[in-house]
Amino acid sequence: MIRSILEWPVRKQLEGESNILNRARIKVLSYALYLRLFTTALLLIFYIVEDYKFQAVRVAILLGIAVIFYMAVALGFKWQRAIHTAILIFVAIISTNLYVFQHGFDLVTLQYAVIIIFCAFYGLGNHWGIIYSVVALSPFILYVLLGHQLGTQVPWGPPGSGRVTIAILLFHNFVFLILINYYFFNSFYDTINDLDARSDELRASLAYLEDSRMKLETEFIHQKHLIASISHDIKSPLRFLMTTTGRLSRNHPDLPTVRAISQSSYRLYHFMKNLLEYTEFRYKHSNVELSYLDLHELVAQKIAIFAPEAEVNTNEFVNGLTPGVIIKSNIQLVSIVLHNLMDNANKATNGGIISVTFADFRDEMVLSVNDTGPGMDLAVRDWINSDQKQLPTSDDSAQNFGMGLLIVKEITSLIRARLYAEPYLPNGTSVHIIFSK
């Protein structure tokens, strides 16, 4: 309750301050204000009682300044500016004591210099501490340079001051010094304790992260072994199934069941092949290695692979690239992307033409897979042209693209390319792989 009353004038400054040291500075400012009001009021009373009118008038003026200062801080006067103002008031007191009112100095005046130094260093930092220390000592240095004698005895207080008034002055200065030291070092220790607590948290987090890293490394090794096992134990049987059912489908074109099995095994094999190649690539390579590749040759290889499936769907593949078209990219990843796009085009088209073309622009190179099928669903086309990663699962037609298109979209970002889909006139779809130069 008492602390909340003492901190009332600086409540606005404390609300917006989270730094421990600055909060201590603000609190000391508030406590010092109350101390100054209390001791100045006592001084005024005793100077009046002792009938020392000159000092009474002077202290009354200082009390008025303290009240105005209190009101300004309570209304939100910035604490840094308040400390600057308080220090300048103390400098004015020292100067007037030396050159106007006392024509000399006393112990209280010397204490004001000490208070200025403490206020500057603790309240404003080293930079202002040095500046204001020089400012505080300059009146004394100038006083000596002007030929004034310091004397062997320094009076306790201003001339005419009684023991009580001197005691009040010394009490104020000593209490202020105790306050500023107490709260500064209290905030210092709080900061150290806070840093120690955060260091303990960081050490615990690092230990947890190290444990997680070890677990991930173990899981990574397990996944590599699993991929190797799948490649060896699943891909080979699927290849055999695909070639066998493909041969049966060609030998018995009148059997729709055999044809359906052939198409399913073909798609399953190539999906597994692309998925395993992509997964294996991600596990083995942290960076995508680029090399020069012949796109015409790569397209020709893919057309040879799709020839049996195209024959079943009565489609025709056209390699629209001229020989010698070279780009710098990753051949394994470009192969996966091209394979998936040509496979999707072949699946979506019956009795049509699937062409692969290339265009070279100033800033981009575009490899396009065009088909004369019924056209791509608008939701899927918008998804291809967007930055979204997840397929629009609310539409059933989007599911026909499955994981293949998801993989393709992720791979294009790895090879510094992007996908763009648009209608292929008069009917069909064009999916462009746009490489940045």
Side-chain angles (χ1 to χ4, degrees):
M1 180 65 181
I2 296 176
R3 290 185 64 179
S4 62
I5 294 174
L6 292 176
E7 294 171 7
W8 181 84
V10 292
R11 64 196 185 283
K12 294 181 180 179
Q13 291 90 329
L14 287 173
E15 287 175 1
E17 185 60 61
S18 58
N19 184 273
I20 296 175
L21 181 58
N22 287 342
R23 289 181 66 86
R25 288 165 169 164
I26 295 170
K27 290 179 181 179
V28 169
L29 174 65
S30 181
Y31 300 156
L33 268 174
Y34 279 104
L35 181 63
R36 170 57 64 180
L37 290 171
F38 175 71
T39 56
T40 307
L42 280 179
L43 280 174
L44 180 60
I45 293 171
F46 280 101
Y47 275 132
I48 293 174
V49 170
E50 294 174 357
D51 197 26
Y52 194 41
K53 295 180 180 179
F54 177 75
Q55 289 291 358
V57 171
R58 191 180 179 201
V59 169
I61 294 172
L62 289 176
L63 181 60
I65 293 173
V67 171
I68 295 172
F69 194 83
Y70 179 91
M71 294 174 61
V73 171
L75 292 173
F77 190 50
K78 296 294 184 181
W79 63 268
Q80 295 96 332
R81 294 181 181 177
I83 295 175
H84 281 289
T85 304
I87 290 174
L88 293 175
I89 291 173
F90 288 140
V91 171
I93 292 173
I94 293 174
S95 299
T96 54
N97 282 351
L98 287 173
Y99 301 107
V100 180
F101 299 114
Q102 298 176 210
H103 298 286
F105 63 92
D106 50 44
L107 184 61
V108 174
T109 305
L110 288 173
Q111 283 187 328
Y112 277 125
V114 176
I115 288 174
I116 289 173
I117 294 171
F118 272 78
C119 285
F121 275 104
Y122 287 173
L124 301 171
N126 290 341
H127 175 73
W128 283 108
I130 294 173
I131 293 175
Y132 280 127
S133 295
V134 174
V135 172
L137 296 176
S138 294
F140 294 97
I141 297 172
L142 182 61
Y143 184 80
V144 175
L145 293 177
L146 290 175
H148 295 93
Q149 298 295 323
L150 293 177
T152 57
Q153 293 183 347
V154 178
W156 285 91
S161 299
R163 292 181 179 180
V164 177
T165 52
I166 291 174
I168 293 172
L169 287 168
L170 295 177
F171 170 79
H172 170 271
N173 294 339
F174 278 119
V175 171
F176 179 78
L177 293 176
I178 292 171
L179 273 177
I180 198 169
N181 278 281
Y182 172 80
Y183 278 98
F184 181 86
F185 283 101
N186 191 55
S187 64
F188 174 76
Y189 293 135
D190 287 343
T191 303
I192 294 298
N193 292 333
D194 183 58
L195 289 175
D196 288 341
R198 293 187 182 184
S199 297
D200 292 338
E201 290 178 4
L202 285 174
R203 279 192 287 268
S205 298
L206 287 173
Y208 176 77
L209 289 174
E210 180 64 20
D211 183 60
S212 299
R213 187 190 68 80
M214 296 295 293
K215 290 180 180 178
L216 286 174
E217 188 173 339
T218 303
E219 182 66 21
F220 177 75
I221 295 172
H222 174 73
Q223 293 290 342
K224 287 175 66 176
H225 292 161
L226 182 62
I227 292 171
S229 176
I230 292 174
S231 298
H232 182 270
D233 298 335
I234 294 180
K235 201 163 73 172
S236 297
L238 281 177
R239 187 190 299 112
F240 175 76
L241 179 63
M242 178 189 67
T243 55
T244 303
T245 54
R247 191 180 302 113
L248 288 173
S249 177
R250 287 190 296 273
N251 293 336
H252 303 280
D254 54 334
L255 297 177
T257 303
V258 174
R259 178 182 175 183
I261 294 173
S262 174
Q263 290 177 336
S264 298
S265 60
Y266 171 86
R267 290 170 184 168
L268 179 60
Y269 169 76
H270 284 286
F271 170 74
M272 287 297 298
K273 180 176 178 292
N274 287 335
L275 182 61
L276 287 171
E277 286 180 355
Y278 170 68
T279 307
E280 187 176 8
F281 177 86
R282 292 303 300 269
Y283 272 106
K284 288 184 177 180
H285 303 277
S286 57
N287 297 317
V288 177
E289 297 180 0
L290 305 179
S291 60
Y292 291 100
L293 61 103
D294 190 325
L295 283 180
H296 177 270
E297 182 180 341
L298 181 61
V299 172
Q301 292 173 0
K302 295 299 178 183
I303 290 177
I305 294 174
F306 286 113
E309 184 73 10
E311 185 179 346
V312 173
N313 292 346
T314 63
N315 289 327
E316 178 185 356
F317 273 95
V318 176
N319 188 347
L321 280 75
T322 57
V325 176
I326 307 295
I327 67 168
K328 187 176 184 180
S329 189
N330 184 279
I331 185 169
Q332 185 178 3
L333 296 181
V334 173
S335 176
I336 295 173
V337 172
L338 186 60
H339 183 102
N340 276 275
L341 294 181
M342 292 175 69
D343 186 29
N344 285 341
N346 186 47
K347 286 189 292 184
T349 307
N350 282 288
I353 298 174
I354 300 160
S355 60
V356 183
T357 57
F358 179 81
D360 191 352
F361 299 99
R362 175 180 295 179
D363 300 320
E364 298 174 332
M365 295 178 292
V366 182
L367 181 65
S368 304
V369 178
N370 317 297
D371 66 70
T372 58
M376 183 179 289
D377 184 87
L378 180 61
V380 179
R381 192 174 72 204
D382 291 341
W383 174 81
I384 290 175
N385 297 337
S386 71
D387 295 328
Q388 296 178 5
K389 296 293 183 183
Q390 187 176 356
L391 276 169
T393 54
S394 59
D395 198 299
D396 292 337
S397 61
Q399 301 303 310
N400 295 330
F401 291 85
M403 284 291 295
L405 196 52
L406 282 170
I407 293 173
V408 164
K409 195 164 186 183
E410 184 174 352
I411 289 176
T412 52
S413 64
L414 294 177
I415 57 176
R416 295 191 297 235
R418 59 187 175 90
L419 292 179
Y420 184 79
E422 62 180 353
Y424 182 65
L425 301 177
N427 61 286
T429 303
S430 288
V431 182
H432 309 291
I433 311 169
I434 304 174
F435 298 92
S436 299
K437 287 187 176 179

